[in-house]
Amino acid sequence: MALLPGTAPPTPPIPPIPPTPRSAVTRRRVALGAVALAAAAALLPSPADADVDLDAGASLGAASGHCANLSRLRVPGAARQQTDCLDELTTAGTVASGHTDPADWAGLTPKGLTVPSGVPGVQVDGYFPDTSTTNTNHGWNHDAQFVVRLPDRWSGGLVVAGTPGNREQYANDRAIADWVLARGYAYAATDKGNTGLAFHRDGTRPGDAVAEWNARLTQLTRAARTVVTQRYHRPPTRTLATGMSNGGYLVRWQLENHPELYDGGVDWEGTLWRAEGPNLFTFLPSALRHYPAHAAGGPAAERARTELHRAGFPAGSEFLWPFHHQVYWDLTQRVYREEFDPAFDGAAEAGTPYCAPGSVPGCDADYDYPARPPEVGAAVERVALTGRIGKPLITIHGTLDVLLPIGRDSDVYARMVREAGRGQLFRYYRVEDGTHTDALVDSFPDRLRPLLPCHRSAVTALEAWLGSGHRPPASRTIARPADADPATLLDDCSLRD
């Protein structure tokens, strides 16, 4: 779920979120007032000529050249937009021009990833109406921010994405946007409506913050299709959804609930939300309970290893456990548990960091999801997946993912798709030795492989599927070549038969 700005070890422990009385949390949630699914009507696009606060950048290049008629672009439903004519839409130019934020995408890609260039066009930044304020990009202090990029040389397609973890709208710029823009796609991304480690404060009832993610991607897709039509005078011939981790979850949810908006999608290790489990709360508490004994060594270490394997953390992934214990497991369990089950720790907010089982009331190492009250499962059910996809979907997932273990996530989702009778729309590729974030490949080049090349291969396979009707190869595990040179791994992932 890529919660942190960077993931290359060593990384210091994450500062705890200080305990806060529940009454104060409630007041903040009311004050922030997330746009929940109950307010879905407010998320529908407004007419293209609706009032909008246009920043000064909208006039640049409007008179002539590749940005002619720039000022006519309107993002339906936006409360604010800033439109700029850029010589370079990829990070080869947007870093220097200030049209991306490297902190958003730090730690998600290998350091050797090349940066394409030569993609001039239009960038539209802005936000939709919202009352929460966690996203500070542009000094706006306003959530529901988005970015839309419109290359001059357009292939006719549109790619839309939500962000991994709780990152902001530029989080996919290196892993996804650079490559699809260079291929001629228009691109749009959303911050999902709330960001940061305290995202769970958004909303008025458990599950609201995550439910908003889905509504925001639906909203952006509708708006981006309209902006594309304004820019190129015809609608996109193909709209693809893609994203990693929480962004991959959004792809699954959109193809299940709004297949009419998309032609297909690529899910990069999406998070599985399922009321009956598995979900985060059915395996992360086991990691918190048993990893300390494993790390300590001694007679209890082997039993702890067995318990971690039983929870879903694969054999052979042990070298990744120290980093994930330090950075991901504890924090992820606490902040997402706070989103769906705030009553577990009483007046505290997001529990007690790194507590030992039985040491304090409401310790997340003691969390027992099946034993929690029915309303907790009902909150998860609001955002749950069903497997009933309505358009072609390709899922990729690394076999050494120890944040979202493959056996508790995509293996299960693949079964759900088949059981829902949608297997003809689905392909699933298990990527041997892939883990949750590709930046870790730089630390373990002889043990890990990046998923990014497999994501690109999946996109091209989906294009062929939608274009010529050539169906991708059968679902399978993509083996890591035994003699793979770490220097060439970024070019290594073929999904061909």
Side-chain angles (χ1 to χ4, degrees):
M1 299 163 71
L3 288 165
L4 303 180
T7 56
T11 303
I14 303 304
I17 299 172
T20 306
R22 174 58 52 191
S23 60
V25 175
T26 301
R27 286 196 298 272
R28 272 196 299 270
R29 284 184 168 177
V30 172
L32 292 173
V35 177
L37 291 181
L43 299 180
L44 295 175
S46 303
D49 59 354
D51 291 339
V52 63
D53 177 9
L54 286 174
D55 286 349
S59 64
L60 295 177
S64 62
H66 75 101
C67 290
N69 301 317
L70 193 67
S71 62
R72 296 182 183 179
L73 298 180
R74 293 290 188 274
V75 179
R80 180 172 188 168
Q81 72 176 65
Q82 174 178 312
T83 308
D84 293 301
C85 176
L86 302 181
D87 292 331
E88 183 59 67
L89 290 177
T90 74
T91 57
T94 55
V95 173
S97 70
H99 288 84
T100 186
D101 182 358
D104 282 5
W105 34 267
L108 293 180
T109 55
K111 61 185 179 183
L113 182 62
T114 58
V115 182
S117 61
V119 188
V122 173
Q123 176 161 321
V124 186
D125 291 286
Y127 56 74
F128 295 109
D130 198 0
T131 53
S132 57
T133 59
T134 62
N135 189 338
T136 61
N137 269 321
H138 307 288
W140 288 339
N141 298 317
H142 196 289
D143 290 344
Q145 291 192 36
F146 61 81
V147 59
V148 180
R149 297 190 175 106
L150 305 163
D152 287 355
R153 293 181 292 277
W154 183 50
S155 68
L158 168 65
V159 170
V160 294
T163 58
N166 309 107
R167 297 177 185 236
E168 298 166 352
Q169 67 269 26
Y170 304 117
N172 295 308
D173 280 6
R174 288 290 288 113
I176 297 173
D178 279 356
W179 185 72
V180 300
L181 286 165
R183 289 171 62 79
Y185 281 95
Y187 171 80
T190 171
D191 68 1
K192 308 195 303 289
N194 43 73
T195 64
L197 301 183
F199 78 99
H200 49 78
R201 296 175 181 170
D202 197 8
T204 58
R205 59 177 177 148
D208 272 359
V210 174
E212 185 179 358
W213 300 353
N214 296 316
R216 291 299 182 186
L217 188 56
T218 303
Q219 176 186 38
L220 178 66
T221 301
R222 289 172 172 153
R225 287 171 60 87
T226 298
V227 175
V228 164
T229 303
Q230 293 171 3
R231 175 63 177 159
Y232 303 110
H233 307 293
R234 62 183 175 91
T237 56
R238 176 178 297 160
T239 302
L240 306 181
T242 192
M244 68 175 78
S245 195
N246 283 337
Y249 156 73
L250 294 177
V251 175
R252 297 173 178 179
W253 193 95
Q254 293 294 321
L255 295 190
E256 290 180 5
N257 293 275
H258 288 289
E260 75 281 0
L261 295 178
Y262 307 94
D263 295 281
V266 175
D267 153 33
W268 184 339
E269 64 194 15
T271 311
L272 179 63
W273 288 112
R274 198 165 183 249
E276 64 271 38
N279 57 49
L280 295 179
F281 312 129
T282 63
F283 55 81
L284 286 180
S286 293
L288 303 184
R289 282 194 296 273
H290 299 295
Y291 176 76
H294 175 267
E302 191 56 36
R303 171 65 184 273
R305 181 201 302 266
T306 299
E307 292 296 335
L308 282 158
H309 290 166
R310 183 176 291 122
F313 301 96
S317 68
E318 287 85 351
F319 69 100
L320 294 168
W321 294 357
F323 175 75
H324 284 75
H325 177 259
Q326 181 186 35
V327 174
Y328 282 128
W329 290 339
D330 177 77
L331 183 62
T332 302
Q333 164 64 25
R334 289 188 292 105
V335 298
Y336 283 87
R337 192 270 306 149
E338 187 73 14
E339 163 67 0
F340 291 98
D341 191 0
F344 174 72
D345 56 356
E349 181 182 10
T352 302
Y354 296 102
C355 55
S359 61
V360 296
C363 177
D364 279 275
D366 293 319
Y367 192 72
D368 184 357
Y369 176 75
R372 296 301 295 155
E375 54 265 30
V376 177
V380 175
E381 182 63 34
R382 293 177 58 208
V383 302
L385 296 168
T386 64
R388 294 191 293 272
I389 55 174
K391 289 291 174 62
L393 173 65
I394 297 177
T395 288
I396 62 169
H397 202 128
T399 61
L400 293 183
D401 191 329
V402 291
L403 179 58
L404 302 176
I406 192 169
R408 299 292 184 268
D409 191 285
S410 293
D411 286 358
V412 177
Y413 189 68
R415 185 170 66 247
M416 292 167 60
V417 173
R418 292 193 299 269
E419 291 174 350
R422 309 300 170 92
Q424 76 280 5
L425 294 174
F426 187 62
R427 288 292 186 272
Y428 173 37
Y429 302 110
R430 307 170 89 253
V431 182
E432 186 178 37
D433 293 346
T435 193
H436 196 71
T437 60
D438 278 358
L440 288 173
V441 175
D442 295 330
S443 298
F444 303 102
D446 297 327
R447 301 191 190 188
L448 297 175
R449 67 180 297 178
L451 269 72
L452 184 143
C454 300
H455 175 263
R456 294 178 175 181
S457 291
V459 171
T460 56
L462 180 63
E463 290 171 339
W465 194 356
L466 298 175
S468 65
H470 179 73
R471 298 176 70 85
S475 302
R476 66 175 189 266
T477 297
I478 307 299
R480 185 175 193 259
D483 58 349
D485 179 350
T488 65
L489 283 177
L490 282 174
D491 303 314
D492 173 45
C493 191
S494 174
L495 302 185
R496 294 190 298 269
D497 287 311

